[in-house]
Each structure stands twice: as C-alpha cells, then as structure tokens.
Amino acid sequence: MLQVPFIRENKEFVIERLAVRNMDASQMVAEVIELDESRRQIQTELDNTLAEANAISKEIGMLFKKGEVDKANALKAKTTDLKESSKDLSEQLAAKTDALNELLYKIPNIPHESVPNGNSDADNEEVFREGAVPKLHDDALPHWELAKKYDIIDFELGNKITGAGFPVYKGKGARLQRALIQYFLDKNTDAGYTEYQLPHLVNEASGFGTGQLPDKEGQMYHVTEDNLYLIPTAEVPGTNIFRDVILNENELPIGITGYTPCFRREAGSYGAHVRGLNRLHQFDKVEIIRIEHPDNSYKALDGMIEHVKSILNELNLPYRILRLCGGDVTFASALTYDFEVFSTAQDRWLEISSVSNFETFQANRLKLRFKNSNGKKELAHTLNGSSLALPRVLAGILENYQTEKGILIPEVLIPYTGFSIID
RNA sequence: GGAGAAAUGGCAGAGUGGUCGAAUGCGGCAGUCUUGAAAACUGUUGAGGGUCACACCUCCGGGGGUUCGAAUCCCUCUUUCUCCGCCA
C-alpha cells in the first residue's frame, strides 16, 4: 500500500511510474488526495467537538466535587448536542477512511526505475543466462513420463486421494525432494538466514499484511469454519512475523528462511502448461525473506540474486534471469527478477524463483518500522524470494539429468540423497 | 468440548467511575562521576492522527453498550492460564 503523504507530494511521479504498469492512475490518485483531504478536515472537526465535550465533563466532575450540583446538571444539557455531532462526525470519518483505504488497496506498487515497459511475460528482459543445455539421448522424456517410468511420483494416486495437482512422491522421488529441501535450507542458513518453521494456516490479518487480501482471496484455500487461509507461500507467515513491529535500526538487516508447503487454488489454469509438476495446488518451497534499511534494499536484492545463482550453479542446471516488465511485475513488488530453469524435454523455461523488493509497500500494510538514528520511525523495506520452489527444480533435474541408464543425481545432492542415480 | 480465573506501556506490575496515557520496579536512551567500564546518582523513555511548531484528538486484548465522564460498570468475541475430558 502506498503512503498517502507520498502520493500527495509526488502526484505526477506516481501517475507517471504507474503508467509503466499500463495503468492510468490519474483518476485514482486525484480521488485519494481528495478523500484524504476531506478525511483530515472531518478529523479536525471531530477532534474539536470531542475536546469541547471533554472539557465540559471535567468541569462537571469539579462541580460535583464542590457540591454545586445545579450548575453541574445545567452543564449536562450542553453535552447532548456535542454527543450527537461527534457521533455523526465519527460516522463520516469512518466512511471516508474506509473509502480511502479501499482505493489504496487497489493501487499497486510503484515500479522501480529499471522496470522495463511491457504488457506481458514476452516483454520481460533477460539479464543473465548460465549453464549449458545438455544434449539428451533420443528417447529423452518429459518429467511426468520419467516419474512414471521410475515410479517416483504418482499423479493418479494424488488424484484419488485429493484431486488434480496434489501429486504423491514416493521412494527415491520422495527422498530427492527431501534432499533438496535440506540442501536449500543449509545453503540459506550458511548465508546467514535464520531458519523458521512457520504455520501453514494464517488468519485474515496476515493475509492482509502481505497483500493477498482483500483482493486475491480467490487464490487461497479458505478454511471457513475457522476463517483461516492455507498459505500460498511462506512469505505470508514469514513476513507477518514483523507485523506491527518497531525495530531498532541496529537490528537490521534481518534474514529468515523457511520451508513450507504452499497451497494455491490456481483457478482457471488448465491445459498442457499445467502438466506434471509444472503447476500444482500443493507444492513445497523454501523461501528467503529480508527486512532491510531502505538505503540498502537494492543491494540486498542483488545479494539475493547472487545467492540463488550460486545454488543453481551448484546444481548445474541451465537457467536464466529475467527482469519483469511493468505488465508482469506483481501488484506489491517494485522490482522482481524471475529465475527460470530450462526444461529440456519440454523445450521451455520453467519459473523456479521470483525475487522481489517490495520497498515499503508491504511494510506500510504491516506497520513494520524501525527507529532511525534520529529516533524517527520509518518504514522498513521487505524483500523475498524463493530459494527455491521444489517441483520445477525437480522437473529440471529429472529432465536435464536423464541418461539411458537412469537419472543422475547432481553431485551436491548426493550427500543428502544417499544415492547417485534413480534407475 | 466442560468448569473457573485472567488480559494494562519493551517486560513485570499497581490502578475498580472524574484531575489516569496511566504509580512503581526492571530494561532502553542521555548526562554526572571515571583514563575507560561497572556501580551509584540525575534526567528521559508507548503508539496513531493532527500541526510549520504547539494546541488538540484517539488508543489499557477486539467489538458494542451504560454515563456529562470508562482502564475501572454491562454485553459479546478472541486469547492465555488452572482443573476435567479427548488426543499426535
């Protein structure tokens, strides 16, 4: 959520930058400013009314103490009007505040200056590429065929137990998945991230804090009986650790990591692109989250990119990094880099990580602040990224490491799997 | 799930209708002392809105009510603790 004073003071800039997202924000911006102005005006009026009522109450108290009951009772009559108008004003204030907030929830973050113009993922800018695409043998298979051939992932079984998009991993498949989780967590903690085990269900306030609510609730599974949501990413419980928190400047930066399953309804997705592990309703992910001083957040973002790169280099997978264009960058993000691994047998790129700087957009909703050196409270910057999303990494390994003898295990994972080939 | 008790500032803890945003202690910060530190002493120290700055307003788990006036009384929800039941 953008800060109102910022919008007020940078009206043209806000409109101009939001145009990168292909939106015309001029109407919304004007409305925000107008609503805020009238909100403040009503606030002042209400404050004055309450101040008067408070003063009278105090006086009545004194008069009663002195025993001047008649005078006190006379004053009581005066409060009736004040009560009525304060009630009226506070209703008006609530209405304005609600309207203002509702509008603010609809305004996305301001894209960073490096975000390119563009309408869709076709306009994303490739900024890095690494790793040779292996030459596969003639009978090379897509991962869902490999999964069946080696009996390591059972999609039909998941279908039976739950439904589409809930695969069952078994044997070496399950072990490989666990090895990856362990390996990712080790890499992250080695890089200074503190490991957390987080709840997989969150309340409304948390969903709101990171921006899934109120608009994107259709993406989450809702447990209606208890009004809780299954997490779509560890970002939600992880970032909400810091909701309503005021940090000391010297506590920054903070880096945390956590493994969680992620649940996404993915309503409206279907077809070949969602085959196999490409798109699931439940998947595993290891996430990294950083809370940063505003002066350092872009340096931190670069650091996160380097960190994810080092993992992919160790896994020796062919990948590329994209800087998302204005049309593709998510609602809350100012700048996002996507990592994609090349799926050799499918001949397409699969997104395996998304690393973003949200600047103060989430922090403003979360009320996540720190006391700066002047003792002033300032919104912190939040960042997060996957390191990494499991299923597509798994797909990439299965497809890129397949040989006629079986699927080789990347060297760095062997200590974790305890085997070097799936055959 | 049943019965009872409780929820106050970073923490501990007083306050049961008026001058209480709230005693006191601890912690934090600043200063005195010290070569430096500790100790001791002095001062300072919640959040949001509003203002050029003040003033002023709001907030004592959440919501609602009674009252001229609520941390304090009433209703309700949530959470925590104790006991019972169930259970990985």
Side-chain angles (χ1 to χ4, degrees):
Chain A
M1 182 161 80
L2 297 178
Q3 294 165 267
V4 176
F6 181 84
I7 296 177
R8 203 194 310 147
E9 284 154 34
N10 303 278
K11 196 176 146 189
E12 291 310 318
F13 174 77
V14 170
I15 293 168
E16 194 185 300
R17 290 307 301 162
L18 287 176
V20 175
R21 289 182 181 268
N22 310 310
M23 70 177 291
D24 178 7
S26 48
Q27 178 83 30
M28 279 178 151
V29 165
E31 237 173 287
V32 165
I33 291 169
E34 195 187 304
L35 278 168
D36 177 56
E37 221 149 80
S38 59
R39 198 215 86 221
R40 289 192 346 255
Q41 202 182 316
I42 294 166
Q43 174 83 256
T44 307
E45 254 178 89
L46 175 62
D47 285 357
N48 291 338
T49 309
L50 289 173
E52 203 177 324
N54 286 344
I56 292 175
S57 290
K58 264 184 194 167
E59 214 179 324
I60 291 173
M62 307 252 262
L63 289 171
F64 271 126
K65 221 162 233 181
K66 282 195 260 171
E68 302 184 35
V69 180
D70 290 347
K71 276 190 185 172
N73 283 328
L75 274 180
K76 275 193 194 182
K78 276 178 76 177
T79 59
T80 325
D81 282 356
L82 290 173
K83 266 183 120 176
E84 230 165 81
S85 58
S86 72
K87 194 182 168 197
D88 182 46
L89 284 167
S90 56
E91 271 165 19
Q92 281 184 50
L93 181 68
K96 286 286 180 203
T97 308
D98 288 352
L100 178 60
N101 283 336
E102 213 171 294
L103 194 56
L104 285 170
Y105 300 153
K106 288 186 186 143
I107 301 177
N109 202 358
I110 293 168
H112 184 256
E113 59 184 10
S114 69
V115 171
N117 287 300
N119 296 311
S120 70
D121 53 3
D123 300 314
N124 293 335
E125 185 185 329
E126 183 173 323
V127 294
F128 187 81
R129 192 183 281 226
E130 176 95 38
V133 174
K135 285 248 162 19
L136 298 182
H137 55 282
D138 292 341
D139 305 323
L141 298 168
H143 68 265
W144 53 87
E145 302 282 356
L146 294 166
K148 187 173 269 183
K149 179 176 172 185
Y150 295 108
D151 196 24
I152 50 175
I153 307 170
D154 194 329
F155 293 97
E156 282 74 31
L157 191 53
N159 244 322
K160 170 186 167 184
I161 299 169
T162 307
F166 293 90
V168 175
Y169 303 85
K170 54 181 176 174
K172 284 185 171 176
R175 179 70 186 235
L176 177 55
Q177 178 116 272
R178 177 156 62 87
L180 280 165
I181 293 165
Q182 184 97 339
Y183 164 67
F184 292 152
L185 284 170
D186 283 354
K187 286 292 289 182
N188 295 345
T189 52
D190 285 351
Y193 292 91
T194 304
E195 183 174 343
Y196 277 74
Q197 285 199 14
L198 296 159
H200 300 165
L201 288 131
V202 292
N203 57 27
E204 265 186 321
S206 292
F208 174 81
T210 33
Q212 279 70 29
L213 298 175
D215 273 354
K216 270 148 267 174
E217 55 202 315
Q219 289 294 338
M220 291 192 288
Y221 288 98
H222 188 196
V223 181
T224 51
E225 183 75 13
D226 301 290
N227 197 24
L228 297 172
Y229 294 86
L230 279 157
I231 56 170
T233 161
E235 166 193 345
V236 181
T239 312
N240 273 282
I241 292 170
F242 303 98
R243 171 153 47 86
D244 292 319
V245 167
I246 301 175
L247 297 158
N248 288 318
E249 192 170 30
N250 61 18
E251 291 178 85
L252 297 173
I254 291 169
I256 71 169
T257 184
Y259 151 72
T260 68
C262 303
F263 303 90
R264 297 186 183 179
R265 294 188 62 233
E266 302 288 1
S269 297
Y270 57 91
H273 279 335
V274 304
R275 221 163 152 192
L277 297 172
N278 289 350
R279 174 151 301 178
L280 302 170
H281 289 305
Q282 178 182 330
F283 64 97
D284 292 310
K285 185 156 63 68
V286 176
E287 188 80 359
I288 48 177
I289 297 167
R290 299 192 67 85
I291 315 297
E292 288 281 345
H293 191 286
D295 294 346
N296 292 330
S297 67
Y298 279 96
K299 216 172 102 192
L301 182 67
D302 291 343
M304 292 167 84
I305 300 294
E306 288 308 313
H307 177 66
V308 176
K309 270 162 80 171
S310 79
I311 294 175
L312 288 166
N313 289 342
E314 278 191 8
L315 286 173
N316 204 18
L317 289 167
Y319 69 96
R320 65 178 185 180
I321 304 174
L322 305 172
R323 184 187 285 132
L324 297 194
C325 73
D328 212 25
V329 72
T330 55
F331 188 79
S333 171
L335 178 60
T336 297
Y337 291 97
D338 272 7
F339 283 70
E340 296 185 335
V341 68
F342 191 70
S343 161
T344 313
Q346 295 182 71
D347 191 30
R348 58 184 282 234
W349 295 94
L350 298 175
E351 183 193 329
I352 49 163
S353 177
S354 193
V355 185
S356 303
N357 187 353
F358 302 95
E359 297 190 1
T360 59
F361 194 85
Q362 287 182 330
N364 193 27
R365 287 190 167 207
L366 292 161
K367 295 195 173 54
L368 162 54
R369 290 159 295 171
F370 66 96
K371 266 203 179 109
N372 66 23
S373 42
N374 301 322
K376 290 270 184 208
K377 285 169 287 289
E378 202 179 323
L379 291 173
H381 281 194
T382 62
L383 303 90
N384 68 51
S386 356
S387 85
L388 289 154
L390 272 289
R392 293 178 190 158
V393 171
L394 195 59
I397 289 172
L398 297 181
E399 294 186 12
N400 287 293
Y401 276 86
Q402 62 180 306
T403 69
E404 278 158 323
K405 291 202 176 83
I407 296 157
L408 302 176
I409 301 298
E411 198 103 6
V412 288
L413 291 179
I414 294 172
Y416 292 97
T417 55
F419 53 83
S420 57
I421 189 165
I422 297 173
D423 50 14

